[in-house]
Structures are given as structure tokens and as C-alpha cells.
Amino acid sequence: MTEHAAQTEPTDAAPDAGTAADDPADPVTDSAAATEQEGASTADAEEISSGDAASPATEEPRTGADSVVTALENAGAKTAFGVQGGAIMPVYDALYESDVNHVTMAHEQGAAHAADAYGVVTGEPGVALATSGPGATNLVTGIADASMDSDAMLALTGQVPTDLVGNDAFQETDTTGVTAPITKHNYFADDPDTVGDTVGEAFAYAESGRPGPTLVDLPKDTTLTETESEPGPAEAPAGTKPTPDADPDAVERAARAIESAERPLCLFGGGVIKGEASEEAREFARENGIPVVTTMPGIGAFPEDDPLCLEWAGMHGTGYANMAITHTDCLIAVGTRFDDRLTGGIPAFAPEAEVIHVDIDPAEISKNVHADYPLIGDAGTVLDQLTDAVEDAPAAAEWRDQCEAWQEEYPMTYATPADEPLKPQFVVEAFDEATDDDTIVTTGVGQHQMWAAQFWTFTEPRTWVSSHGLGTMGYGIPAAIGARLAADVEGHEDRDVVCFDGDGSFLMTIQELSVAVRENMDVTIAVLNNEYIGMVRQWQDAFFEGRHMASDYDWMPEFDKIAEAFGARGFRIDEYDEVADTVEDALDYDGPSVVDVHIDPEENVLPMVPSGGANGQFALSEEHL
């Protein structure tokens, strides 16, 4: 297997053009080859005219593109998202007879986000395809998003023929070079005999250990050239499978720290969900009576209606979650990278705590927050080790009482004055009450994302699908499409998929609504429309003396009418008494619906920890900022 570019291996010179096959699609055809082909065609015609009925049918020759598709099938891929184009066309032609369901998206960025969300919901890598040049670069935002959130995804990109690489050919881009910093690994596949195994390896590697995106760049001559090779099963590279168990001695030391703690706290991150460790996390916390806080990516790892749950912490997390982190003396952090939106200022983060950090990736240990007890291994396996090792649950009754007191002192409430416009929190709660616990919620990025996370009660993993580390506006609609396909593939066609979007975020990928209409997808999109880039406006009011430079979006279209033009069902809400019936009608509609919800343009997301501030010093009102 040839790897000319990878995140862990610097790119060398361009592939040797002297060994590359000519592009069979090139209009300039070698005259000798043409003559040979003509002679063969004549012979074939004579054989047919001889009436030899006993001659067996000749099998169609296999190409590198066929191997690519076979590799996807061997890996168990059921769905792929993409946009057709010249350099990737051979792969699409091979997909024509495949059982892999391809969903044509309106834009390559949408394909990447849909594949990302598909993977979040199913727990298996989503697949995104794009052609060379702008097709590949349009995937970059989605690949970077998946990288920041450790989401398993495989990107397949077309490339110009190998003998043109480096010549600034039409729609040529150094795709492996561009994506090296944002992929777990990437490959330049210049051999038709090994391309299938390369794709299978990339698929498996995306989901092994700490998940992440991988990419295979496919020159057109590689995918068009014939091959007799059959790809084998999808297998991650040798030596990349991490050891699931943490060091037993380290586990014992961590267990003693937990037993002696007076104010223990579990912090469950996205790694708990990605590691399929939610059940182990729940058992550990409940068996030891330890309160639980999650990160935003960890929402759903622990049910928010459980008495032990303090919901999620960080910049816009609950006041009681942030107070618990500030005062804990033993923080049991599982599957989190301690990003700045969680920690605020590092010196003030959990200042009194001994930190037990469980993570599959050793690079995360003590990267941001020092780990007193590093436990490197699979989240579920290590949590089972800890459950077995803790002999006596910590004496934390008073601590649990304190956490309950903080919940009463800093409740997640909001006012609904009759003389003010509709509050967005009310709308989120209305959708939550009207849907089942297994409803999948996707979002764009901004204020609406925070309100959805704050005022929806999540009880199951893989029901919260959002952009966290990269903060990508426009994620919501394509993510809803990916989530819808994921639910359908798993046989859950009756699950609701609700997307909360903002007006600015919705406008960035509105073209993907055409895909939802074309596929008759049952998704409901609630646009919390305040005619602002709301989070920017909030920061401008707090930190830039109210100068609304480029954040005022009073030029927004009427989204309900736009939805109807796309062929979706459009609704509009302006008043509280319209909410319940409209929410019910939108959810009942069997197909894509868009609810244009006009909310209070001055409403802010609170609580709020100012950037770099201490978690325990959160603002509860604008005056506190």
C-alpha cells in the first residue's frame, strides 16, 4: 500500500509520473492501442456471427474504482454522501450497481457534515465523496469539524491523473497536503492493485482507538485502470490498536483517591459516548453515589433527569455544574480533552481537586489540565476497572446535598413577560415535551445551539448532534439529513429528528433543504430567528460597547415561504399561543418542515462564563458581565 501523504508522515515529492497509466478518459488516444482495440472488436463481431451459443459470457474487467466500492461494502458501509464530478466519476460509476446507498447533496460541505452526523448517530464512520479541486476543498470545513470533535469519517476525493499531479492541471489541488493537519491519516492511492485495501484500512482506522476523519485521494488513472486484485476485509494499520486496559497499579491508586474523597465529581466527555461506555459510566456513578457533570460533547452520556446529574459545564453550562467543578476535591474525568470552553481559565479550573483523567489518547493526558492519576485506556474498560477497584464508596452525602442546594440556588429559568417577544427557551421546551426521549436533536452554531443544549432534557447517548470544537455555522441542516438516514438505516424510521437553527446558520446551508425534500425526509427544522448573528451580538453588547458591526441580520428572508418554494412545509410562529399547535403540526407532517420562529432579538444566553474566566464566577444576567 502506497502512502504519499499522511499526518504522521511528511509528504515527499509528487508520485513518479513515469509509472502512471495514461488516463483512459483522455480524448487523445494512442493510435496503436486504438488499432488493437479495433481488431479485437472485429474478432468479437466475427465470433458472435458464427453462432457459437456455447461461448461463455466474458466478465466485465474490474477497475480500481470497483475495488474502492468493494472495500466500502466489505467494511459494512451502507450510506455515502457526496457530489459528483469529473475526477471522482469512475467511483460513482462503480457505485451504480452497489448496495451502498448514495445521497447526492447540494454542496460538498453538506456532504461532509451529513457523513459526520451519520457517524455520530450510528457509531460507524460516515462516508463523504467529492471530486478534485474545489470539490475536495469544499469538504475541508466538514473534515476539520470531524477532527475537532473526534468523529469517525472517511472522505474519498477524486484527483487528476498521476502524470498530471504537480502540473497545476484543471481542478488539481494538493488534497493530502491541505488535509494532513485535519485528518487522523490520509493516503494518496496511486496503485489500482492496492487501492481497495487502502480504502478499507482508512475506513477501519477512522473508527479505531480515538475516532477521527481519514481521507483517500484517488487519482483518476488509479480508479480507471484494470486490476485483478480483490480487497480484503477492512483492517486498521498494524500497531495502531490501543490497549483497552489501564495500568492496574494506576487504577488502584485512583480508586484509593476516590474512596477518600469528600467531594467527588464525575466529568463525562464525548469519549464516553464514542467509546460506547455510557452504561459503564452510569453504573460507576450510581454505584458510588457520585454527582455527574458532562461536557457539551458528552451530553446524553448520563441522563439529565437522574438526581445525580448536574447537566453540562463550561461557558454556558449550568451554574450548579460549574459550582461543582469549582469545589470538587476529586475530579474523575473520562473522555474529555479539557478544551477552553469547558475550563475557562486553567488556573481556576477545579482548583481544589486531584484529577483522575481517563482517555484512550495518551496525548490528551496533562495537555491542558494536569492529571494526578492518568489512566490511559478504553473508557468502558477503565470504568469497569475502577468500579471493581473501589471497595468503599466515598462518604459524599453532604456533598450531594450541597449539589442539590446549588441546583435550587441557580436554577435554569427564564422570564416570559407578556409585553416582550417570544422567548426561545420556551420553544425548545415545547418541542422537547412533544417528542420522545429517543428524538435526535441537531443544531447549527450560536445562541440557538446553547438554548437547545440547556433546555432540552437529554437522557440517551447519540441523540445530541452538534458542532463543538470547530463551532461550524451551517452544521444543522446537513446534520439532520445525516441523522435521519442513520435512524432509518438502523430501522428507527419512527424516531423524530429535530434541528434547531439560527437565521444566520440556516442561511449558510439552506440549499441542503432541497435534498431533504427530494428524499422526502421526515425532519423538522426550527429556525430561532432573531435577525442577528446572535452570539456575536451578545458579545458586542457585553464587551464592545454595543457596536453591532456586521451582526445585524434584519435582511433575512421569510423562511417559511422559502421552505414552501423548496417543496417543504413552512410554518411561522410569532406568539406564545401559536407554539403548541404549530409544533404539533410540524412534527406530524410526514416530510421536511421548517418553522420560522420569531424570537426576542435581545435575549441572551445565560449563565455565561466570560472567556478565560473562572467557572465559579459565572454571570446570571447582562449586568454581571
Side-chain angles (χ1 to χ4, degrees), residues 116-133:
D116 183 341
Y118 181 92
V120 171
V121 174
T122 63
E124 301 171 356
V127 179
L129 294 91
T131 195
S132 61

Side-chain angles (χ1 to χ4, degrees), residues 191-567:
D191 186 346
D193 292 335
T194 61
V195 65
D197 287 327
T198 300
V199 169
E201 178 179 298
F203 187 99
Y205 192 35
E207 63 180 337
S208 68
R210 179 180 183 171
T214 57
L215 179 144
V216 183
D217 202 29
L218 301 165
K220 197 170 184 179
D221 54 323
T222 299
T223 53
L224 281 171
T225 299
E226 294 180 15
T227 178
E228 295 181 359
S229 298
E230 282 281 347
E235 295 180 350
T240 59
K241 187 176 181 180
T243 302
D245 300 85
D247 177 72
D249 292 337
V251 171
E252 288 297 326
R253 289 192 293 271
R256 303 292 82 77
I258 293 169
E259 290 171 345
S260 62
E262 297 179 354
R263 304 185 303 279
L265 183 68
C266 292
L267 174 64
F268 294 148
V272 172
I273 296 173
K274 297 178 194 309
E276 303 291 355
S278 296
E279 287 305 315
E280 291 86 346
R282 296 173 186 205
E283 178 184 355
F284 174 80
R286 288 166 176 163
E287 186 168 315
N288 293 290
I290 301 175
V292 174
V293 166
T294 73
T295 67
M296 269 193 73
I299 287 174
F302 198 84
E304 293 182 339
D305 58 359
D306 189 291
L308 286 173
C309 191
L310 303 173
E311 300 169 54
W312 56 279
M315 178 173 283
H316 291 294
T318 65
Y320 33 92
N322 283 325
M323 289 297 285
I325 282 181
T326 301
H327 293 282
T328 179
D329 65 354
C330 181
L331 184 65
I332 308 151
V334 185
T336 176
R337 58 189 177 85
F338 290 112
D339 76 293
D340 62 301
R341 285 303 190 260
L342 167 68
T343 63
I346 295 290
F349 179 79
E352 303 173 26
E354 288 191 301
V355 175
I356 299 167
H357 191 182
V358 179
D359 207 282
I360 193 75
D361 186 356
E364 290 300 334
I365 302 297
S366 295
K367 183 182 80 175
N368 292 326
V369 172
H370 174 73
D372 299 288
Y373 302 93
L375 301 178
I376 301 169
D378 171 72
T381 303
V382 178
L383 282 167
D384 280 342
Q385 288 180 276
L386 281 173
T387 298
D388 293 340
V390 175
E391 298 173 358
D392 298 305
E398 291 185 10
W399 170 241
R400 290 191 293 271
D401 290 342
Q402 175 62 75
C403 290
E404 289 181 14
W406 282 325
Q407 286 177 293
E408 295 177 4
E409 186 175 356
Y410 306 111
M412 292 297 296
T413 58
Y414 56 95
T416 56
D419 60 345
E420 293 184 10
L422 179 63
K423 299 297 183 182
Q425 303 94 323
F426 184 90
V427 178
V428 172
E429 290 185 327
F431 271 99
D432 189 12
E433 291 171 6
T435 53
D436 295 331
D437 287 346
D438 66 352
T439 296
I440 301 170
V441 175
T442 77
T443 76
V445 166
Q447 287 180 314
H448 64 277
Q449 175 191 29
M450 299 300 131
W451 288 317
Q454 288 177 332
F455 290 94
W456 191 286
T457 302
F458 292 90
T459 60
E460 298 298 330
R462 302 192 184 279
T463 56
W464 166 250
V465 184
S466 193
S467 170
H468 301 106
L470 197 64
T472 307
M473 291 178 65
Y475 183 85
I477 306 174
I481 290 171
R484 176 74 275 162
L485 265 294
D488 293 348
V489 162
E490 294 185 329
H492 300 299
E493 295 87 350
D494 57 338
R495 290 182 75 176
D496 285 316
V497 175
V498 175
C499 169
F500 289 104
D501 226 338
D503 44 304
S505 200
F506 184 68
L507 202 61
M508 287 195 170
T509 51
I510 193 172
Q511 67 271 12
E512 303 305 339
L513 187 57
S514 63
V515 178
V517 171
R518 186 193 71 222
E519 302 292 329
N520 193 34
M521 293 181 174
D522 189 12
V523 296
T524 305
I525 303 165
V527 183
L528 302 183
N529 187 348
N530 56 12
E531 296 189 348
Y532 279 109
I533 297 291
M535 192 62 80
V536 172
R537 192 273 307 156
Q538 180 171 334
W539 279 55
Q540 287 173 331
D541 286 345
F543 308 116
F544 292 89
E545 300 178 359
R547 292 185 294 274
H548 293 169
M549 176 60 189
S551 62
D552 190 331
Y553 273 37
D554 58 359
W555 40 270
M556 286 290 102
E558 296 181 60
F559 291 120
D560 54 329
K561 293 181 180 178
I562 292 287
E564 296 281 351
F566 270 102

Side-chain angles (χ1 to χ4, degrees), residues 85-130:
I88 197 68
M89 199 176 295
V91 177
Y92 271 87
D93 189 60
L95 276 171
Y96 188 80
E97 300 291 345
S98 174
D99 291 334
V100 177
N101 175 38
H102 178 269
V103 180
T104 301
M105 301 297 289
H107 190 283
E108 291 90 354
Q109 181 182 346
H113 291 326
D116 183 341
Y118 181 92
V120 171
V121 174
T122 63
E124 301 171 356
V127 179
L129 294 91

